[in-house]
Amino acid sequence: MDTVKQQQRKLLLRTFQLAAAVLAILAGGPAMAQERIRISSEWGNVTAELAENEAARSLTRMLPLTIEMRDHIRQEKTGNLPSPLPEVKRQQDFAAGTLGLWGPDDFVIYYKKGRVPQPGITILGDVKGDVSIFDRPGPSPFAWKR
C-alpha cells in the first residue's frame, strides 16, 4: 500500500516538474543575461545594457547602425532610428546614461539625470561607463553594434 502511495507521489511530483518546465519555456525560458551593446564615437566608447522589453529587442535586431545625434538642452543627445520601435511602458524619470525613446523612432541618450513630461519615455537601456562622451556640443555620428 505504501509503495502505491509513494509511486503516486513520485508521479505527481514529475507532473508538476514537467508543467513548470513547460511554463518556463512558454514564458521565454530561464532568465537570460541582458543584451549588451557597444556605442562608439570620436570621443570614446561605452557599453550599454539593454532593457528587457520588446522595443530594446527590436533595437538589437537593427544593429549594427550609425545614428547622427544632436545635442539637446545640454542634457541629452537625440537622433532618429531608421525605423520605429514597438510601444512599451513609459516612465518620466531618467538617470544619466538612460537610453530611451520619445516617439517610435526618436532616440535619446541622457547624460544628466532629470524628468520628462507625460507621456514619458520608453526605456531601452542604460550606459555602463563614462557618459561624458555624449556631453559635447553639436552633432556627431555614434556607431552602435553588438
Side-chain angles (χ1 to χ4, degrees):
M1 188 74 134
D2 286 332
T3 308
V4 171
K5 285 188 177 192
Q6 287 175 344
Q7 288 177 346
Q8 287 175 336
R9 285 184 185 152
K10 285 181 183 178
L11 180 60
L12 186 58
L13 179 60
R14 286 185 187 149
T15 302
F16 282 126
Q17 289 170 336
L18 179 60
V22 168
L23 287 174
I25 290 169
L26 292 175
M32 299 178 77
Q34 289 181 303
E35 181 81 32
R36 289 185 179 263
I37 61 171
R38 186 101 170 137
I39 305 169
S40 304
S41 79
E42 63 185 89
W43 302 308
N45 305 298
V46 293
T47 300
E49 194 169 88
L50 296 181
E52 295 281 338
N53 64 43
E54 189 54 39
R57 285 187 285 278
S58 293
L59 175 63
T60 302
R61 289 189 290 271
M62 289 182 184
L63 301 179
L65 64 97
T66 298
I67 302 173
E68 183 72 24
M69 301 193 77
R70 301 162 301 286
D71 196 70
H72 183 69
I73 63 173
R74 295 305 309 210
Q75 78 170 11
E76 63 199 57
K77 285 284 193 232
T78 62
N80 295 96
L81 295 172
S83 59
L85 298 180
E87 182 71 29
V88 298
K89 183 181 173 190
R90 293 173 170 263
Q91 71 182 52
Q92 290 181 279
D93 295 317
F94 59 86
T98 297
L99 307 178
L101 286 177
W102 270 102
D105 66 346
D106 300 319
F107 189 77
V108 62
I109 302 172
Y110 293 99
Y111 53 85
K112 295 182 181 171
K113 69 178 184 172
R115 183 173 175 85
V116 296
Q118 286 288 353
I121 57 171
T122 296
I123 302 298
L124 295 173
D126 185 43
V127 171
K128 304 297 181 194
D130 184 6
V131 295
S132 69
I133 70 164
F134 304 110
D135 188 4
R136 310 273 190 218
S140 181
F142 286 83
W144 300 68
K145 60 184 173 184
R146 286 180 155 181

